[in-house]
Amino acid sequence: MAAKIIDGKKIAELTRADIAARAAQLEAQSGVKPGLAVIIVGDNPASQVYVCNKKKACEQAGMYSVVIEMAGDTTQEALMEQIETLKADDKIHGILVQLPLPAHLDEDAVIAAIPPEKDVDAFHPVNTGKIMIGDYDFLPCTPAGVMKLLEHEGIEIAGKECVVVGRSNIVGKPQAMLLLHANGTVTVCHSKTKNLSDVTRRADILVVAIGKANFITGDMIKPGAVVIDVGMNRLENKKLCGDVEFASCSEVAGAITPVPGGVGPMTITMLLENTLTAAKKAIGKNL
Ligand code: GUN
């Protein structure tokens, strides 16, 4: 039987409408419009699309948004100065530096320079540490988007075998934490995992975030499993595809996210949620 397709686009729309309503309420009560600044360095075409989508989403949610474009040969000092300026700007509640940065820049130092209370990506060591102990100021955007999809679909996590394929700092590791905090039994797999398909076939909930097109095939999943595809790969023919081979997996899974239209729209939605949270916290502190 074919799997249920989890419509991330629709769920993102519903969630964004709710965020927009709460942003409008905040502005009516306090006069403060949540504001996000996105810095992009260089001209990576994929990054340009992501940044443009972030700006559009902010504006649609009634938030203030600025995009700061810096040349590909920007120095570390110039980037740090720009972050300092945004740090001091009361209209800006969230600062996001689009990754990856050009190779000559020190990504860790840049992330550490963003004040934790404006770190809407939740990449700063203070925020990643908080995620570890389940005390969230900011939600890690992509993993939180995955949790929202599961919640919206009424998928129980407690006691379930959850397998995360991929151990990146941005997705795999925080995803494992969020599933663990929801009482899942969590296994993290990576490039050195032995007998990967034996592990993936145990999963009631499988989250894949490795950046390898069509890597997970139907024979690697348990019948009826929930399969969440975080991958976003561009094939030679320019078509987008995930890390999960949709045709074979959707024959075996109970529910599955498509690419595009699955996890992707949820990531930006969670960024809006974090920007709203940052604005609320700033007001609380200033009052
Ligand atoms: N590049 C790809 N995904 C992300 C993200 O979630 N945040 C930032 N800052 N850069 C990214």
Side-chain angles (χ1 to χ4, degrees), residues 47 50 54 96-100 121 123 141-142 170 267:
S47 291
Y50 292 141
K54 284 169 185 172
L96 180 152
V97 179
Q98 188 67 28
L99 303 178
D121 259 329
F123 290 170
C141 296
T142 299
I170 293 183
T267 297

Side-chain angles (χ1 to χ4, degrees), residues 92-207:
I92 297 300
H93 306 101
I95 303 171
L96 180 152
V97 179
Q98 188 67 28
L99 303 178
L101 288 170
H104 69 281
L105 296 171
D106 179 347
E107 216 159 82
D108 290 344
V110 169
I111 289 170
I114 298 170
E117 65 276 13
K118 291 193 178 187
D119 169 39
V120 283
D121 259 329
F123 290 170
H124 189 284
V126 165
N127 288 323
T128 55
K130 286 192 170 191
I131 291 162
M132 184 85 175
I133 56 176
D135 168 18
Y136 307 110
D137 281 333
F138 296 117
L139 303 159
C141 296
T142 299
V146 170
M147 299 305 279
K148 196 91 186 166
L149 289 178
L150 295 174
E151 181 194 319
H152 189 273
E153 294 299 300
I155 294 160
E156 178 102 27
I157 298 166
K160 294 283 176 64
E161 287 282 348
C162 303
V163 174
V164 178
V165 186
R167 55 173 158 179
S168 69
N169 290 332
I170 293 183
V171 185
K173 284 181 204 164
Q175 186 70 70
M177 284 301 138
L178 299 199
L179 290 165
L180 182 61
H181 295 149
N183 298 313
T185 301
V186 183
T187 306
V188 181
C189 300
H190 47 78
S191 53
K192 300 287 188 290
T193 296
K194 298 240 167 48
N195 305 320
L196 177 68
S197 49
D198 289 348
V199 186
T200 56
R201 266 196 298 267
R202 286 209 308 261
D204 300 309
I205 299 171
L206 180 68
V207 182

Side-chain angles (χ1 to χ4, degrees), residues 68 128 142 212 225 247 262 273:
I68 294 145
T128 55
T142 299
K212 288 188 183 164
E273 184 76 60

